[in-house]
Amino acid sequence: MRTIIFSSQTYDRDSFLAADCPAGLELHFQAARLSLDTAALAEQHEVVCAFINDDLSAPVLERLAAGGTRLIALRSAGYNHVDLPAAKRLGLAVVRVPAYSPHAVAEHAVALILALNRRLHRAYNRTREGDFSLHGLTGFDLVGKTVGIVGTGQIGATFAKIMHGFGCELLAYDPYPNPEVLALGARYLSLPELLAQSRIISLHCPLNEQSKHLINRDSLAQMQAGAMLINTGRGGLVDTPALIDALKDGQLGYLGLDVYEEEAQLFFEDRSDLPLQDDVLARLLTFPNVIITAHQAFLTREALGAIAATTLHNIATWAAGAPQNQVEG
């Protein structure tokens, strides 16, 4: 069974080749991002394996189905980039990786918090240039600070455990309270209450119609002046242009992003020799209290191994007529 893996980087190839590949499965790695222009590469491939920034809109799915594709195997938990009604209409099954390593993403969120708080990025650049002064590098103790967690699934719960270990007070917002988070002493509040009471806010919820631009000009105004916002979830959770005004007037004191709403044409590629065409991202990168990483929170050996193993398992069970981790349209 021929499988083409779009948007595959060296680390993807290494993790898939190291995994236990089912018999009869033929893997083809394609560095190109899946789009209407590249969909022809999937001709005569029964399975298309796609990542978060691949285009799985109706026109692309139609082209894939016409070329013989029968299964879309996502190597991600999120599936907001898939036109599920179109997939159902075309008879395309969709499977995903519901969990890989919640620790990878949660720990990256904590890394952003620590780096922003203690100005590690600024200190690193200073000392490399021989500047050993400390002005402008003052941080704050995390112990006793109030941390708001938006979304308390596996990743949010793991993040909560880590911040509880720092001695933080935990607030949470989620339609479905998690007993593990409650056991840490967290209090579930409405989103406006959480925003108003939290010194640090971290987003760990899925992107859907209800959560799109959950953080916008109105919700930013509800935060404490100088609050820290961390997003390792999905770029669309935040109305990015609204962040610039909040940073300029000091309403937002710190910003850590691992995801960006318009990242599809930017992230996962070396563009250092090209001018940055995205004016919003370029403006964000000028602020000294902003750290942006290029969607690397998932990038640990353990997470990559789990993603590869689950994806191959999903393909094998689908081929056997007993699909697992299927996304229903």
Side-chain angles (χ1 to χ4, degrees):
M1 184 164 48
R2 304 184 76 213
T3 298
I4 184 168
I5 303 175
F6 279 95
S7 298
S8 60
Q9 304 290 336
T10 303
Y11 47 79
D12 294 306
R13 179 187 293 268
D14 291 344
S15 60
F16 271 86
L17 293 179
D20 185 14
C21 187
L25 189 60
E26 183 181 330
L27 301 179
H28 298 267
F29 297 92
Q30 177 53 247
R33 173 177 168 264
L34 175 60
S35 67
L36 194 56
D37 292 332
T38 62
L41 296 170
E43 190 85 23
Q44 297 181 4
H45 286 82
E46 202 170 2
V47 181
V48 165
C49 181
F51 199 41
I52 49 176
N53 288 329
D54 286 315
D55 183 354
L56 291 161
S57 60
V60 176
L61 294 175
E62 288 168 2
R63 180 68 182 85
L64 295 177
T69 297
R70 296 173 52 209
L71 175 68
I72 305 297
L74 302 174
R75 55 186 195 276
S76 61
Y79 50 88
N80 57 282
H81 56 311
V82 185
D83 189 329
L84 293 176
K88 185 175 182 179
R89 169 172 55 84
L90 295 164
L92 291 169
V94 180
V95 293
R96 68 184 182 115
V97 180
Y100 38 94
S101 172
H103 303 282
V105 180
E107 290 172 9
H108 191 79
V110 176
L112 288 172
I113 291 171
L114 293 170
L116 284 165
N117 176 27
R118 305 310 296 266
R119 275 78 166 180
L120 297 184
H121 55 305
R122 301 185 68 187
Y124 171 78
N125 288 327
R126 279 192 194 179
T127 55
R128 284 177 61 86
E129 296 174 0
D131 180 356
F132 302 103
S133 63
L134 300 181
H135 62 272
L137 301 182
T138 304
F140 57 84
D141 291 351
L142 285 176
V143 64
K145 299 301 182 293
T146 303
V147 176
I149 307 162
V150 181
T152 54
Q154 292 190 57
I155 295 173
T158 301
F159 174 80
K161 292 173 186 176
I162 298 173
M163 300 314 294
H164 180 261
F166 276 103
C168 296
E169 299 292 328
L170 303 180
L171 303 180
Y173 170 72
D174 195 300
Y176 306 98
N178 188 330
E180 293 183 16
V181 177
L182 287 169
L184 298 172
R187 292 184 292 126
Y188 277 83
L189 303 175
S190 69
L191 183 60
E193 290 175 316
L194 180 147
L195 297 177
Q197 297 181 35
S198 300
R199 180 71 177 271
I200 300 168
I201 298 151
S202 191
L203 307 181
H204 299 284
C205 52
L207 177 62
N208 51 42
E209 291 182 3
Q210 290 71 41
S211 64
K212 183 175 175 62
H213 291 176
L214 191 73
I215 302 299
N216 51 47
R217 294 186 188 279
D218 292 339
S219 53
L220 286 165
Q222 294 170 352
M223 295 180 187
Q224 296 180 11
M228 179 187 294
L229 176 65
I230 304 294
N231 186 12
T232 55
R234 287 290 182 267
L237 296 173
V238 177
D239 179 5
T240 315
L243 298 174
I244 294 174
D245 289 337
L247 288 163
K248 286 169 64 177
D249 64 18
Q251 177 65 15
L252 193 58
Y254 312 79
L255 176 66
L257 301 178
D258 185 57
V259 288
Y260 177 58
E261 189 167 13
E262 304 300 327
E263 71 179 53
Q265 302 297 331
L266 293 169
F267 286 7
F268 307 117
E269 301 290 341
D270 181 359
R271 303 182 186 278
S272 57
D273 292 334
L274 301 171
L276 182 57
Q277 300 295 329
D278 189 310
D279 293 340
V280 174
L281 182 59
R283 184 69 179 93
L284 284 175
L285 290 170
T286 67
F287 289 95
N289 53 343
V290 172
I291 295 179
I292 299 175
T293 54
H295 210 133
Q296 72 176 77
F298 76 99
L299 198 63
T300 66
R301 285 186 291 272
E302 293 82 358
L304 288 169
I307 289 169
T310 303
T311 301
L312 293 173
H313 175 74
N314 286 343
I315 296 171
T317 56
W318 170 81
Q324 294 185 18
N325 300 318
Q326 187 162 356
V327 181
E328 301 298 335

